[in-house]
Every structure is written in structure tokens, then in C-alpha cells.
Amino acid sequence: MLLLDLGVFNKKSHEVSSKEATVWSVVWISLSMIFSGVVYWVFNEADSHELAVEKFTQYQAAYWIEKALSVDNLFVFILVFGFFKVPKYLHHKVLFWGIIGALIFRAIFIFAGVEIINLTFLPKMMVFGEFVRINVVMTLFGLFLIYAGIKSWGGGHADEEDEDYSNTAGARLIKSFWKVSDNYDGDKFFTVQNGIKMATPLLVVVSVIEFTDVLFAVDSIPAIFAISNDPFILYTSNIFAILGLRSLYFLLANFIYMFSKLSYGLAVILTFIGIKMLIAPWYHLPSPVSLSIVAGVLIISVIVSLLFPEKKKL
């Protein structure tokens, strides 16, 4: 699908219209939902209806958590593009390479994370009157997510608005290897000026987006570990959510102010997942219940955002 997207449908860099973004958003979300049906069918055929329902709800919960966190992170993408004055027709290419990087980094985080979690179970011990096996990594993730949820409550993106993105780790990495030209050269990552090969600001922007996504993963990857320990479910749900991020950006870029209360919903979800991780040794919360809570919080936060939208900044 990525090859078709870049090689067939978007051979030339262009400004993506709201209509095109809507069509692609529907395509990606539809493919994601169809795949969740495939997940149910495969496990139902191979094992049982109960396991199929469990895997299906795990996929759905992980998908919507990642999708919700991605929507919140779009605000930062908007700030990055604005800071570097990236022409609108180049946004698609930057996000495409950002997604390629996300495919690689998320695979490393998820598969390595599952292995590390499997290796960090403590021996059985008596805690609160029950013999349980506590996982060190999951406990640390749980505490971190509760902290992140409380910290993000109503915090918005005030800090990011004043950030100098030309001095972030991604920008410094590119500048340490190449000189950077002052102007863009179409959709090229490199240009030649006065006989000197130089990186264009476009390559700097891609690097900043890549590093930003790695920071985003610090919240989203631990969160989905509370949903499932199956790397197949975690990776496919994560990737389907990320694949639709590009079109979702173009769809919501002009209406992000209408989701002003989403940060409150995400704070509740992160705190809930953190608590779920901490109580897991004593009580397993079924995936359908987790999915219902996550979906309910997201729906309520979006409805409240639409009922009480912030004024669009000019």
C-alpha cells in the first residue's frame, strides 16, 4: 500500500486537498477494521471463539489508543512544519518518510519490549495476601504512564509552541554531517551550491519528525503493552494506526482546534492503562472491558471538544 501510495497515486509532490485526505482516511481506517476481522477469523479457525474475541478486542484497543495518541501528536507536526516554513506540497513527502522510520523503530521497540518483559518476571512471592509474579518492566511502565497521564492533564502544547525546532536532536544530527542550505530545492533532500553538496531544510524537517516520533513512542508503546503481549497484535495494530496518520494530518490540520479536549481524554486513558499494569498481577481486566473504557473516554472527549471548541487561532 505504501508503494502504491508513493509510486502510483502520489508520484509528484503536491498539496493534498481535504477531499483526497478524506478518501485516504476512509481507506486506511477501513483496511484496519477489515484486518481486525481477519484477526478474529484466523484465531477462530485455529483455536476458539473466546480466543478470537480476545485477540480482536486487543487489536481494536491497541489500534485506537495509538490512533488517539497520533491525533494529539499531529499538533506538534503542525508546529514543526510552521517553524520550518515547509511548503504545503512537501508535507506529504515528509510524512511518508516519517512513517517509514516509524515502521522500523516501532518494530524494534515492540519486539525487543516483549522479550525484555518476558525476562523480567520476579519469582512468585506473597503480596497483599496472594502469591503473585510481579514484572519489573510492566510495573515501571505502569508508574510512568500514571505520571504521564497526570502531567498531561489539560497541559496542552504550550511548551512545544515556543520550542526552537532548529536546535532539536534531529536537526543537530543532520547539521553535524552536512551544511544546510538556506532555501528548499523542490522536493530534494540535497542540493549543490557553489560546488558544495549541502542538505536542504527538507532533510532537517524529516529528521526532526523522525526523532519526534521516537519521543511519541515513549508513551504509546508502553501503553499498548498493557493491552497484549502478542507482538503480532501489537505491531499490526500500531502500524495500521500509523499508516493512516498521513492522510489524517491533512484532514485535521485545519480543524485540530476542534479536538481541544482530547488531551484530557488521553490523560485519563494513560492513567487507566498505568493502573491496569500495576494491578495485573492480582487482577486481569478483560480486553473487551479495556476496549469499552478506551472507546468511551475517546468518544466523550471528542464530543465535549465539538460542543465546546476553542476558537481557531489566526
Side-chain angles (χ1 to χ4, degrees):
M1 286 300 297
L2 283 174
L3 289 173
L4 284 174
D5 189 3
L6 189 69
V8 178
F9 299 112
N10 295 286
K11 274 187 176 181
K12 295 182 179 179
S13 297
H14 66 287
E15 184 175 342
V16 178
S17 66
S18 295
K19 180 180 179 182
E20 183 180 352
T22 301
V23 170
W24 274 105
S25 293
V26 171
V27 168
W28 286 119
I29 293 176
S30 297
L31 285 173
S32 304
M33 295 302 98
I34 291 171
F35 188 80
S36 69
V38 173
V39 168
Y40 171 83
W41 178 79
V42 168
F43 283 99
N44 187 54
E45 289 290 314
D47 199 291
S48 65
H49 170 72
E50 289 74 18
L51 180 63
V53 170
E54 179 74 9
K55 294 294 184 180
F56 171 82
T57 51
Q58 285 178 0
Y59 174 92
Q60 288 284 343
Y63 174 82
W64 290 111
I65 287 172
E66 179 63 36
K67 180 67 76 175
L69 289 169
S70 296
V71 171
D72 191 49
N73 295 336
L74 290 178
F75 185 91
V76 180
F77 289 174
I78 293 171
L79 293 177
V80 171
F81 286 139
F83 181 88
F84 287 102
K85 297 180 174 58
V86 183
K88 287 188 175 181
Y89 76 94
L90 294 177
H91 288 192
H92 184 278
K93 183 170 183 175
V94 172
L95 292 173
F96 174 86
W97 287 108
I99 286 173
I100 294 296
L103 292 174
I104 298 170
F105 287 120
R106 299 303 173 96
I108 295 171
F109 292 158
I110 288 173
F111 287 93
V114 169
E115 290 302 315
I116 292 172
I117 288 171
N118 289 335
L119 294 172
T120 54
F121 278 99
L122 297 176
K124 265 193 175 183
M125 62 182 72
M126 176 74 76
V127 183
F128 301 131
E130 291 186 39
F131 281 102
V132 294
R133 291 192 69 193
I134 295 175
N135 187 281
V136 176
V137 171
M138 292 291 279
T139 301
L140 292 175
F141 279 166
L143 292 171
F144 169 74
L145 290 175
I146 292 173
Y147 167 76
I150 295 172
K151 186 179 178 181
S152 64
W153 177 264
H157 300 274
D159 294 338
E160 289 94 335
E161 290 182 8
D162 300 323
E163 185 168 348
D164 180 5
Y165 290 101
S166 65
N167 197 39
T168 57
R172 292 199 303 270
L173 177 66
I174 298 301
K175 292 177 181 178
S176 66
F177 286 99
W178 300 282
K179 288 185 177 181
V180 179
S181 64
D182 295 326
N183 302 309
Y184 291 93
D185 185 4
D187 61 357
K188 297 178 182 177
F189 289 134
F190 293 95
T191 187
V192 177
Q193 292 186 358
N194 299 322
I196 301 173
K197 186 176 182 179
M198 306 173 72
T200 66
L202 189 65
L203 184 62
V204 176
V205 175
V206 170
S207 183
V208 171
I209 292 293
E210 295 285 10
F211 271 83
T212 302
D213 181 72
V214 171
L215 294 178
F216 292 164
V218 173
D219 282 343
S220 62
I221 298 301
I224 61 175
F225 281 138
I227 302 299
S228 174
N229 61 356
D230 184 342
F232 168 74
I233 295 295
L234 296 178
Y235 190 61
T236 53
S237 60
N238 212 262
I239 294 310
F240 266 113
I242 292 171
L243 289 176
L245 179 61
R246 193 168 64 260
S247 55
L248 197 63
Y249 166 83
F250 294 107
L251 185 61
L252 299 181
N254 294 324
F255 305 99
I256 199 72
Y257 66 97
M258 295 176 64
F259 295 84
S260 57
K261 306 302 184 293
L262 184 62
S263 60
Y264 293 96
L266 294 178
V268 172
I269 290 173
L270 289 175
T271 304
F272 158 70
I273 293 172
I275 294 172
K276 179 181 177 182
M277 283 182 165
L278 293 182
I279 67 173
W282 293 272
Y283 179 73
H284 171 66
L285 196 65
S287 295
V289 176
S290 298
L291 175 60
S292 300
I293 293 173
V294 169
V297 171
L298 287 177
I299 291 171
I300 291 172
S301 62
V302 171
I303 290 175
V304 173
S305 297
L306 295 174
L307 291 176
F308 306 100
E310 289 186 352
K311 291 184 178 179
K312 186 176 181 180
K313 294 180 182 181
L314 299 176

